[in-house]
Amino acid sequence: METTAKNNGRIVAIVVMFFIYAMIAFVTNLAAPIGTIWGYQFEGNSVLGMMGNMMNFLAYLFMGIPAGNMLMRIGYKKTALWALAIGIIGLFVQFLSGIIGTETVVTTFSSTGADGSPATFPITLNFFIYLLGAFICGFCVCMLNTVVCPMLNLLGGGGNRGNQLLQFGGALNSLSGTMTPLFVGVLIGVLSKQTQIDAVNPLLFIGMGIFGVAFIILNFVTIPEPNLNPDGKKVKYSHSPWNFRHTVLGVIGIFFYVGIEIGIPGTLNFYLADQGVNGAGVQGQASAIAGAIVAVYWLFMLIGRTLSGFISGSVSSRTQLIAVSTTAIILIILAIFIPKTTTFPVPDILYEGGAQVPVSAFLLILCGLCTSIMWGGIFNLAVEGLGKYTAQASGIFMMMVVGGGVMPLIQNAIAKASGYMTSYWLVVAMLGYLLYYGLVGSKNVNTDIPVEEEEELDPRNL
């Protein structure tokens, strides 16, 4: 009877973690498509358009390690509850940006007008309010990620089984990520300078409602607390995750990976929206088509993670990481060299109107099959053999997710200076590092460090 109850509790915990994983993608994937609204108002300035995405991921840099410490002080459940409450606040602030300060000019920036001549454009207060909301939402998803990844790895027992749960949870994450840009594109419709962020209010309200319901449900669910320190005091061990080479290299890998995952579809979204789509009628309509095309990228991530979930019990994370890194490098190099004049028709299920998009866009969205398994695979490899240091490592990993804000921003700066396709060489370089990590860097060479709870603590750190 006790074993049955324990198994049922484990299943409930897994379901809750899957649900939270899906909500992470919803909040994160709002930033890039909403950024097309701002980018269009700023004369197609994709760097300013990506600032919301940057703020979202910048929060990881500040919250990653504190979130890991929260796991040890207040546990997984309370950390998740705090995250959900913060998420509601962040979405509400983004909603306020559609009604407050829309006419108040705070500063201006210089750019190029539609006719190619130098021009000055105003930046209103509501843009900064939106960035604040995106930053607050970043705290939310950082904390949720810190909870979900180590918990699913733990519930699966680590190793291949731990990666298997991470991939199945990631599949739901991708499903949510697929729907978000698609819904945003439909809500925006024909993009113009008159389009405001309040166009996506329905999604913001839905997000706040879901977070509220999740907060209530989570209060009644029992979550395992393997790292909780009952007296609430911070405990320092004689070593740390930084003493493990494969963990340090994995942390760098996560920084690059999130930059890859966000940079590929985010830059593609701007590319399609800014350039227009052949046969789309007016250029503004390209925003809806771009949203639909980018949604397919997240759909491929859903497919890839689902397939990986089925094979991860027998195929190692290392083997999968090597295979997909190599494939993604090939796909992106092909996308860079194929002329944008080589196009294919957009399926009617995505857009009825005979629109044509470059073949390079199709190759880029195919990369979703490759990036799909990278997060879970890198995390699984980097925490293998860490034992009690896993919670701290999770916090460090979340801090480095800031790469999802930094690297796409750099990529869009390159795109603005040298062209969209040229900017994807940065993605190729980052994929090259992940290939190195899979081949060499993921091996644990610090097996001499004790990681069991029975290890005596360093009295100087108590």
Side-chain angles (χ1 to χ4, degrees):
M1 183 67 70
E2 183 178 347
T3 301
T4 302
K6 185 176 181 180
N7 288 336
N8 290 339
R10 176 177 173 274
I11 292 173
V12 171
I14 291 173
V15 171
V16 171
M17 291 301 109
F18 280 176
F19 179 78
I20 291 177
Y21 215 160
M23 289 307 300
I24 290 171
F26 173 82
V27 175
T28 302
N29 286 10
L30 280 174
I34 289 179
T36 61
I37 299 177
W38 298 109
Y40 205 91
Q41 292 183 20
F42 301 142
E43 295 297 318
N45 191 309
S46 59
V47 175
L48 283 176
M50 286 295 284
M51 282 303 298
N53 182 75
M54 173 62 185
M55 295 301 291
N56 192 284
F57 284 97
L58 181 63
Y60 281 83
L61 183 63
F62 295 94
M63 195 62 201
I65 291 179
N69 291 335
M70 287 178 70
L71 294 186
M72 302 182 69
R73 290 191 176 190
I74 64 175
Y76 286 89
K77 180 175 178 177
K78 289 184 179 179
T79 301
L81 288 172
W82 273 105
L84 292 171
I86 291 173
I88 293 173
I89 295 172
L91 291 173
F92 182 71
V93 172
Q94 290 187 57
F95 159 72
L96 290 179
S97 70
I99 58 178
I100 296 178
T102 57
E103 303 295 332
T104 304
V105 177
V106 176
T107 185
T108 59
F109 78 99
S110 298
S111 184
T112 304
D115 59 356
S117 61
T120 301
F121 303 96
I123 300 181
T124 52
L125 176 63
N126 68 319
F127 178 64
F128 293 97
I129 295 176
Y130 162 71
L131 294 182
L132 175 62
F135 188 65
I136 295 172
C137 281
F139 281 113
C140 162
V141 291
C142 175
M143 295 167 69
L144 290 179
N145 259 317
T146 307
V147 169
V148 168
C149 293
M151 178 54 65
L152 284 177
N153 196 55
L154 172 72
L155 291 170
N160 287 357
R161 295 295 181 183
N163 185 43
Q164 191 170 35
L165 278 188
L166 282 169
Q167 297 304 338
F168 278 131
L172 293 177
N173 177 276
S174 297
L175 176 61
S176 177
T178 300
M179 303 306 294
T180 302
L182 184 61
F183 286 151
V184 173
V186 171
L187 289 172
I188 293 176
V190 178
L191 192 62
S192 70
K193 287 187 177 181
Q194 284 67 47
T195 306
Q196 299 292 327
I197 190 175
D198 58 10
V200 298
N201 278 351
L203 278 185
L204 298 179
F205 291 142
I206 290 173
M208 285 185 277
I210 293 177
F211 272 174
V213 172
F215 185 92
I216 295 172
I217 293 176
L218 189 58
N219 269 290
F220 297 97
V221 175
T222 300
I223 300 294
E225 301 288 358
N227 299 299
L228 182 60
N229 184 17
D231 59 10
K233 295 181 180 180
K234 183 178 180 180
V235 177
K236 294 184 180 180
Y237 297 107
S238 57
H239 294 84
S240 79
W242 295 112
N243 295 120
F244 296 83
R245 190 198 72 165
H246 72 295
T247 301
V248 174
L249 295 179
V251 166
I252 299 173
I254 284 291
F255 179 86
F256 286 144
Y257 159 69
V258 187
I260 294 167
E261 181 192 290
I262 302 299
I264 290 176
T267 303
L268 177 61
N269 203 333
F270 278 107
Y271 171 62
L272 295 176
D274 289 354
Q275 299 297 319
V277 180
N278 295 333
V282 294
Q283 181 166 335
Q285 189 65 35
S287 176
I289 301 175
I293 296 297
V294 170
V296 177
Y297 170 87
W298 299 104
L299 176 62
F300 281 148
M301 286 195 69
L302 166 63
I303 295 172
R305 283 173 168 172
T306 302
L307 293 175
S308 178
F310 284 110
I311 69 173
S312 290
S314 55
V315 180
S316 71
S317 301
R318 179 175 178 270
T319 299
Q320 293 184 55
L321 181 60
I322 293 171
V324 297
S325 297
T326 303
T327 303
I329 290 172
I330 294 172
L331 288 172
I332 293 181
I333 291 177
L334 288 174
I336 292 173
F337 284 106
I338 291 179
K340 68 178 181 180
T341 53
T342 305
T343 63
F344 75 98
V346 177
D348 288 342
I349 192 173
L350 295 178
Y351 177 80
E352 295 184 5
Q356 300 277 329
V357 298
V359 170
S360 58
F362 176 71
L363 294 173
L364 291 174
I365 62 176
L366 269 179
C367 289
L369 290 170
C370 302
T371 58
S372 62
I373 69 103
M374 291 180 178
W375 172 271
I378 295 170
F379 185 89
N380 179 260
L381 289 170
V383 301
E384 190 68 24
L386 290 191
K388 65 185 178 183
Y389 298 110
T390 300
Q392 289 175 294
S394 180
I396 295 171
F397 271 98
M398 294 312 111
M399 179 181 71
M400 298 309 292
V401 172
V402 68
V406 174
M407 300 314 294
L409 198 64
I410 295 175
Q411 185 181 352
N412 275 273
I414 296 173
K416 186 172 178 60
S418 305
Y420 283 99
M421 287 299 107
T422 301
S423 73
Y424 280 96
W425 282 113
L426 177 63
V427 178
V428 172
M430 292 188 288
L431 285 167
Y433 176 85
L434 295 187
L435 179 59
Y436 157 76
Y437 183 69
L439 290 170
V440 179
S442 59
K443 182 180 179 181
N444 183 2
V445 296
N446 304 108
T447 54
D448 57 319
I449 300 177
V451 296
E452 301 300 326
E453 287 294 343
E454 289 75 11
E455 176 197 359
E456 183 178 354
L457 301 181
D458 185 342
R460 295 171 298 178
N461 291 330
L462 295 176

